[in-house]
Amino acid sequence: MGRKSKEERRRELLDAARDVFVQKGFQAATIDDIALEASVARGTFYLYFDDKRAVFEALVDRFLVAIGQCVKSIELGPDAPPPVDQLRANIRRVVGQCLAEPTIVKLALFDATGLDPDLDEKLHGFYEGLRTLIDESLQQGQELGMVRPGDRRVMVAVGLGGLKEVLVDAVEGRIAADADALTEEIMRFLAGGLLA
């Protein structure tokens, strides 16, 4: 068995930190806990991260990048799939990504808030980018007659907040964690309350 690459070791430390943060909470977790979980020396941790907050921020960054890559702009045109199918695919990718990493959903969506002003700003920026993308999609939908008229700011807030709660409830076991079933239920909700 050969030596692990720097990227493999970093990924192992991130995964170990994620597990420790979920087990103990961010405040109670220590660097020694993370090193023990990753089966490395404490000094090895410091080769990759400056402190506990840095590894937590790297976890949140990794999650936000993955979620951001799931959301694609709705394409229009004769060769593009129907917009509602593209919306369904976006929702399915986001739900699938979140269900594939349930521990990080809880960490990124709830535990990260209020830990550090820089991290709060990063999360705020992510949500603002997502809000803008959803708002632009809703505007397109309204112009095409696919989305009912109304205040898009309210629609975005309800949609984003609702999706966040559905994902957290799914990863915490309060509702069934089946990506296809959740996607279809979200689409039914949208069709009844948002779509024209």
Side-chain angles (χ1 to χ4, degrees):
M1 190 162 137
R3 290 176 46 123
K4 293 183 180 173
S5 71
K6 287 187 76 130
E7 189 51 42
E8 286 174 311
R9 180 65 75 199
R10 185 177 190 280
R11 190 172 40 251
E12 286 178 353
L13 283 164
L14 283 170
D15 292 343
R18 175 199 63 210
D19 294 345
V20 168
F21 292 150
V22 168
Q23 292 164 13
K24 295 188 171 199
F26 177 79
Q27 299 298 344
T30 66
I31 290 169
D32 287 334
D33 294 329
I34 296 167
L36 182 64
E37 181 75 19
S39 301
V40 299
R42 180 183 174 99
T44 301
F45 174 91
Y46 287 111
L47 293 174
Y48 295 88
F49 301 102
D50 291 336
D51 54 24
K52 182 172 70 167
R53 190 186 116 353
V55 73
F56 188 87
E57 186 171 334
L59 278 170
V60 172
D61 283 347
R62 184 172 75 171
F63 175 72
L64 296 181
V65 166
I67 291 297
Q69 291 172 346
C70 291
V71 180
K72 312 286 184 217
S73 293
I74 303 293
E75 293 181 24
L76 302 175
D79 297 335
V84 73
D85 291 346
Q86 294 179 66
L87 173 62
R88 177 181 282 108
N90 272 340
I91 292 169
R92 174 61 181 82
R93 283 189 296 270
V94 169
V95 169
Q97 179 68 42
C98 290
L99 294 180
E101 294 193 71
T103 53
I104 196 64
V105 169
K106 184 178 178 302
L107 290 173
L109 297 183
F110 283 100
D111 296 348
T113 305
L115 287 178
D116 178 271
D118 291 338
L119 195 52
D120 282 350
E121 186 175 322
K122 184 175 295 191
L123 286 169
H124 179 74
F126 171 76
Y127 281 119
E128 285 307 305
L130 203 50
R131 279 179 194 281
T132 299
L133 183 62
I134 293 169
D135 184 56
E136 289 169 356
S137 296
L138 289 173
Q139 181 180 8
Q140 260 184 353
Q142 285 176 331
E143 290 167 2
L144 293 170
M146 292 180 54
V147 174
R148 68 171 177 75
D151 187 334
R152 287 193 319 272
R153 292 169 302 178
V154 173
M155 293 177 189
V156 170
V158 169
L160 193 54
L163 180 60
K164 181 178 169 182
E165 289 301 313
V166 164
L167 293 172
V168 170
D169 282 358
V171 301
E172 290 189 345
R174 288 191 287 272
I175 59 177
D178 176 272
D180 292 326
L182 282 175
T183 299
E184 290 312 309
E185 195 60 42
I186 292 167
M187 289 301 294
R188 276 193 290 279
F189 171 79
L190 293 175
L194 184 65
L195 303 178

mmCIF file of all heavy atoms in Angstrom, residues 44-68:
data_model
loop_
_atom_site.group_PDB
_atom_site.id
_atom_site.type_symbol
_atom_site.label_atom_id
_atom_site.label_comp_id
_atom_site.label_asym_id
_atom_site.label_seq_id
_atom_site.Cartn_x
_atom_site.Cartn_y
_atom_site.Cartn_z
ATOM 1 N N THR A 44 -0.022 16.310 11.749
ATOM 2 C CA THR A 44 -0.482 16.107 10.368
ATOM 3 C C THR A 44 -1.680 17.004 10.078
ATOM 4 O O THR A 44 -1.792 17.569 8.988
ATOM 5 C CB THR A 44 -0.837 14.626 10.132
ATOM 6 O OG1 THR A 44 0.325 13.829 10.381
ATOM 7 C CG2 THR A 44 -1.323 14.393 8.715
ATOM 8 N N PHE A 45 -2.563 17.137 11.063
ATOM 9 C CA PHE A 45 -3.716 18.024 10.887
ATOM 10 C C PHE A 45 -3.241 19.415 10.489
ATOM 11 O O PHE A 45 -3.761 20.037 9.554
ATOM 12 C CB PHE A 45 -4.541 18.097 12.177
ATOM 13 C CG PHE A 45 -5.661 19.094 12.112
ATOM 14 C CD1 PHE A 45 -6.923 18.709 11.692
ATOM 15 C CD2 PHE A 45 -5.458 20.429 12.451
ATOM 16 C CE1 PHE A 45 -7.951 19.624 11.607
ATOM 17 C CE2 PHE A 45 -6.482 21.355 12.381
ATOM 18 C CZ PHE A 45 -7.738 20.956 11.947
ATOM 19 N N TYR A 46 -2.207 19.924 11.190
ATOM 20 C CA TYR A 46 -1.731 21.287 10.964
ATOM 21 C C TYR A 46 -0.996 21.458 9.629
ATOM 22 O O TYR A 46 -0.773 22.583 9.189
ATOM 23 C CB TYR A 46 -0.851 21.743 12.121
ATOM 24 C CG TYR A 46 -1.647 22.025 13.369
ATOM 25 C CD1 TYR A 46 -1.549 21.202 14.489
ATOM 26 C CD2 TYR A 46 -2.530 23.100 13.419
ATOM 27 C CE1 TYR A 46 -2.293 21.451 15.628
ATOM 28 C CE2 TYR A 46 -3.280 23.356 14.557
ATOM 29 C CZ TYR A 46 -3.153 22.529 15.659
ATOM 30 O OH TYR A 46 -3.898 22.783 16.774
ATOM 31 N N LEU A 47 -0.648 20.370 8.980
ATOM 32 C CA LEU A 47 -0.087 20.473 7.634
ATOM 33 C C LEU A 47 -1.159 20.892 6.624
ATOM 34 O O LEU A 47 -0.842 21.420 5.550
ATOM 35 C CB LEU A 47 0.520 19.137 7.199
ATOM 36 C CG LEU A 47 1.755 18.664 7.951
ATOM 37 C CD1 LEU A 47 2.136 17.263 7.510
ATOM 38 C CD2 LEU A 47 2.910 19.647 7.751
ATOM 39 N N TYR A 48 -2.418 20.656 6.979
ATOM 40 C CA TYR A 48 -3.527 20.907 6.051
ATOM 41 C C TYR A 48 -4.438 22.062 6.473
ATOM 42 O O TYR A 48 -5.017 22.727 5.622
ATOM 43 C CB TYR A 48 -4.368 19.633 5.897
ATOM 44 C CG TYR A 48 -3.587 18.525 5.260
ATOM 45 C CD1 TYR A 48 -2.812 17.651 6.028
ATOM 46 C CD2 TYR A 48 -3.594 18.351 3.888
ATOM 47 C CE1 TYR A 48 -2.072 16.640 5.447
ATOM 48 C CE2 TYR A 48 -2.855 17.342 3.292
ATOM 49 C CZ TYR A 48 -2.092 16.490 4.077
ATOM 50 O OH TYR A 48 -1.363 15.496 3.483
ATOM 51 N N PHE A 49 -4.570 22.267 7.774
ATOM 52 C CA PHE A 49 -5.496 23.287 8.276
ATOM 53 C C PHE A 49 -4.864 24.037 9.438
ATOM 54 O O PHE A 49 -4.164 23.443 10.259
ATOM 55 C CB PHE A 49 -6.806 22.639 8.740
ATOM 56 C CG PHE A 49 -7.496 21.873 7.649
ATOM 57 C CD1 PHE A 49 -7.413 20.491 7.592
ATOM 58 C CD2 PHE A 49 -8.205 22.540 6.655
ATOM 59 C CE1 PHE A 49 -8.031 19.781 6.579
ATOM 60 C CE2 PHE A 49 -8.829 21.828 5.636
ATOM 61 C CZ PHE A 49 -8.738 20.449 5.592
ATOM 62 N N ASP A 50 -5.147 25.334 9.529
ATOM 63 C CA ASP A 50 -4.585 26.155 10.597
ATOM 64 C C ASP A 50 -5.255 25.898 11.941
ATOM 65 O O ASP A 50 -4.614 25.981 12.984
ATOM 66 C CB ASP A 50 -4.720 27.646 10.264
ATOM 67 C CG ASP A 50 -3.824 28.055 9.107
ATOM 68 O OD1 ASP A 50 -2.814 27.370 8.858
ATOM 69 O OD2 ASP A 50 -4.146 29.067 8.451
ATOM 70 N N ASP A 51 -6.546 25.609 11.904
ATOM 71 C CA ASP A 51 -7.286 25.413 13.146
ATOM 72 C C ASP A 51 -8.619 24.728 12.850
ATOM 73 O O ASP A 51 -8.911 24.385 11.697
ATOM 74 C CB ASP A 51 -7.505 26.748 13.874
ATOM 75 C CG ASP A 51 -8.174 27.808 12.999
ATOM 76 O OD1 ASP A 51 -8.875 27.453 12.022
ATOM 77 O OD2 ASP A 51 -7.998 29.003 13.289
ATOM 78 N N LYS A 52 -9.412 24.554 13.876
ATOM 79 C CA LYS A 52 -10.697 23.872 13.773
ATOM 80 C C LYS A 52 -11.645 24.646 12.866
ATOM 81 O O LYS A 52 -12.377 24.064 12.065
ATOM 82 C CB LYS A 52 -11.276 23.722 15.189
ATOM 83 C CG LYS A 52 -12.578 22.992 15.270
ATOM 84 C CD LYS A 52 -12.967 22.725 16.706
ATOM 85 C CE LYS A 52 -13.359 23.968 17.448
ATOM 86 N NZ LYS A 52 -14.015 23.681 18.742
ATOM 87 N N ARG A 53 -11.644 25.974 12.967
ATOM 88 C CA ARG A 53 -12.518 26.779 12.136
ATOM 89 C C ARG A 53 -12.168 26.645 10.663
ATOM 90 O O ARG A 53 -13.037 26.624 9.796
ATOM 91 C CB ARG A 53 -12.449 28.248 12.575
ATOM 92 C CG ARG A 53 -13.509 29.091 11.903
ATOM 93 C CD ARG A 53 -13.333 30.537 12.225
ATOM 94 N NE ARG A 53 -13.034 31.510 11.242
ATOM 95 C CZ ARG A 53 -12.731 31.411 9.957
ATOM 96 N NH1 ARG A 53 -12.640 30.274 9.400
ATOM 97 N NH2 ARG A 53 -12.496 32.438 9.210
ATOM 98 N N ALA A 54 -10.891 26.523 10.357
ATOM 99 C CA ALA A 54 -10.461 26.392 8.956
ATOM 100 C C ALA A 54 -10.966 25.084 8.348
ATOM 101 O O ALA A 54 -11.390 25.068 7.187
ATOM 102 C CB ALA A 54 -8.939 26.468 8.862
ATOM 103 N N VAL A 55 -10.935 24.010 9.111
ATOM 104 C CA VAL A 55 -11.428 22.739 8.568
ATOM 105 C C VAL A 55 -12.947 22.790 8.430
ATOM 106 O O VAL A 55 -13.514 22.258 7.476
ATOM 107 C CB VAL A 55 -10.944 21.518 9.392
ATOM 108 C CG1 VAL A 55 -11.647 21.406 10.723
ATOM 109 C CG2 VAL A 55 -11.119 20.218 8.620
ATOM 110 N N PHE A 56 -13.615 23.450 9.363
ATOM 111 C CA PHE A 56 -15.065 23.596 9.263
ATOM 112 C C PHE A 56 -15.425 24.420 8.023
ATOM 113 O O PHE A 56 -16.318 24.053 7.253
ATOM 114 C CB PHE A 56 -15.617 24.270 10.526
ATOM 115 C CG PHE A 56 -17.113 24.282 10.578
ATOM 116 C CD1 PHE A 56 -17.809 23.212 11.117
ATOM 117 C CD2 PHE A 56 -17.833 25.353 10.083
ATOM 118 C CE1 PHE A 56 -19.188 23.207 11.160
ATOM 119 C CE2 PHE A 56 -19.209 25.363 10.128
ATOM 120 C CZ PHE A 56 -19.893 24.282 10.666
ATOM 121 N N GLU A 57 -14.706 25.512 7.808
ATOM 122 C CA GLU A 57 -14.963 26.349 6.637
ATOM 123 C C GLU A 57 -14.706 25.577 5.345
ATOM 124 O O GLU A 57 -15.456 25.707 4.374
ATOM 125 C CB GLU A 57 -14.096 27.608 6.682
ATOM 126 C CG GLU A 57 -14.430 28.573 5.573
ATOM 127 C CD GLU A 57 -13.726 29.908 5.735
ATOM 128 O OE1 GLU A 57 -13.378 30.299 6.855
ATOM 129 O OE2 GLU A 57 -13.531 30.572 4.692
ATOM 130 N N ALA A 58 -13.676 24.747 5.327
ATOM 131 C CA ALA A 58 -13.394 23.930 4.139
ATOM 132 C C ALA A 58 -14.534 22.938 3.874
ATOM 133 O O ALA A 58 -14.884 22.687 2.718
ATOM 134 C CB ALA A 58 -12.069 23.188 4.312
ATOM 135 N N LEU A 59 -15.112 22.392 4.932
ATOM 136 C CA LEU A 59 -16.263 21.498 4.774
ATOM 137 C C LEU A 59 -17.453 22.241 4.169
ATOM 138 O O LEU A 59 -18.106 21.744 3.251
ATOM 139 C CB LEU A 59 -16.690 20.924 6.134
ATOM 140 C CG LEU A 59 -15.925 19.727 6.646
ATOM 141 C CD1 LEU A 59 -16.306 19.451 8.093
ATOM 142 C CD2 LEU A 59 -16.195 18.511 5.779
ATOM 143 N N VAL A 60 -17.733 23.410 4.690
ATOM 144 C CA VAL A 60 -18.854 24.199 4.179
ATOM 145 C C VAL A 60 -18.576 24.599 2.730
ATOM 146 O O VAL A 60 -19.464 24.499 1.870
ATOM 147 C CB VAL A 60 -19.113 25.428 5.073
ATOM 148 C CG1 VAL A 60 -20.146 26.351 4.438
ATOM 149 C CG2 VAL A 60 -19.584 24.975 6.455
ATOM 150 N N ASP A 61 -17.354 25.020 2.431
ATOM 151 C CA ASP A 61 -16.991 25.385 1.051
ATOM 152 C C ASP A 61 -17.227 24.217 0.099
ATOM 153 O O ASP A 61 -17.793 24.392 -0.978
ATOM 154 C CB ASP A 61 -15.517 25.783 0.958
ATOM 155 C CG ASP A 61 -15.234 27.171 1.489
ATOM 156 O OD1 ASP A 61 -16.192 27.937 1.712
ATOM 157 O OD2 ASP A 61 -14.046 27.484 1.691
ATOM 158 N N ARG A 62 -16.770 23.045 0.484
ATOM 159 C CA ARG A 62 -16.918 21.856 -0.362
ATOM 160 C C ARG A 62 -18.395 21.585 -0.648
ATOM 161 O O ARG A 62 -18.784 21.297 -1.772
ATOM 162 C CB ARG A 62 -16.245 20.655 0.325
ATOM 163 C CG ARG A 62 -16.248 19.385 -0.495
ATOM 164 C CD ARG A 62 -15.407 18.307 0.151
ATOM 165 N NE ARG A 62 -16.084 17.715 1.297
ATOM 166 C CZ ARG A 62 -15.642 16.634 1.934
ATOM 167 N NH1 ARG A 62 -14.516 16.044 1.560
ATOM 168 N NH2 ARG A 62 -16.308 16.144 2.959
ATOM 169 N N PHE A 63 -19.219 21.715 0.384
ATOM 170 C CA PHE A 63 -20.655 21.483 0.229
ATOM 171 C C PHE A 63 -21.289 22.545 -0.677
ATOM 172 O O PHE A 63 -22.068 22.226 -1.579
ATOM 173 C CB PHE A 63 -21.325 21.487 1.599
ATOM 174 C CG PHE A 63 -22.822 21.385 1.543
ATOM 175 C CD1 PHE A 63 -23.433 20.200 1.189
ATOM 176 C CD2 PHE A 63 -23.617 22.474 1.842
ATOM 177 C CE1 PHE A 63 -24.809 20.092 1.133
ATOM 178 C CE2 PHE A 63 -24.994 22.375 1.797
ATOM 179 C CZ PHE A 63 -25.595 21.183 1.436
ATOM 180 N N LEU A 64 -20.962 23.817 -0.451
ATOM 181 C CA LEU A 64 -21.561 24.880 -1.247
ATOM 182 C C LEU A 64 -21.178 24.767 -2.716
ATOM 183 O O LEU A 64 -22.017 25.001 -3.603
ATOM 184 C CB LEU A 64 -21.166 26.249 -0.692
ATOM 185 C CG LEU A 64 -21.656 26.572 0.719
ATOM 186 C CD1 LEU A 64 -21.221 27.970 1.125
ATOM 187 C CD2 LEU A 64 -23.156 26.413 0.843
ATOM 188 N N VAL A 65 -19.948 24.385 -2.988
ATOM 189 C CA VAL A 65 -19.524 24.190 -4.378
ATOM 190 C C VAL A 65 -20.322 23.053 -5.009
ATOM 191 O O VAL A 65 -20.823 23.171 -6.134
ATOM 192 C CB VAL A 65 -18.003 23.925 -4.462
ATOM 193 C CG1 VAL A 65 -17.604 23.381 -5.820
ATOM 194 C CG2 VAL A 65 -17.225 25.198 -4.154
ATOM 195 N N ALA A 66 -20.465 21.954 -4.279
ATOM 196 C CA ALA A 66 -21.214 20.805 -4.809
ATOM 197 C C ALA A 66 -22.662 21.177 -5.097
ATOM 198 O O ALA A 66 -23.212 20.819 -6.149
ATOM 199 C CB ALA A 66 -21.150 19.628 -3.836
ATOM 200 N N ILE A 67 -23.294 21.912 -4.187
ATOM 201 C CA ILE A 67 -24.688 22.326 -4.392
ATOM 202 C C ILE A 67 -24.772 23.306 -5.564
ATOM 203 O O ILE A 67 -25.662 23.198 -6.422
ATOM 204 C CB ILE A 67 -25.280 22.960 -3.118
ATOM 205 C CG1 ILE A 67 -25.452 21.905 -2.039
ATOM 206 C CG2 ILE A 67 -26.611 23.647 -3.411
ATOM 207 C CD1 ILE A 67 -26.417 20.799 -2.378
ATOM 208 N N GLY A 68 -23.852 24.248 -5.621
ATOM 209 C CA GLY A 68 -23.853 25.209 -6.724
ATOM 210 C C GLY A 68 -23.731 24.542 -8.081
ATOM 211 O O GLY A 68 -24.344 24.980 -9.062
#
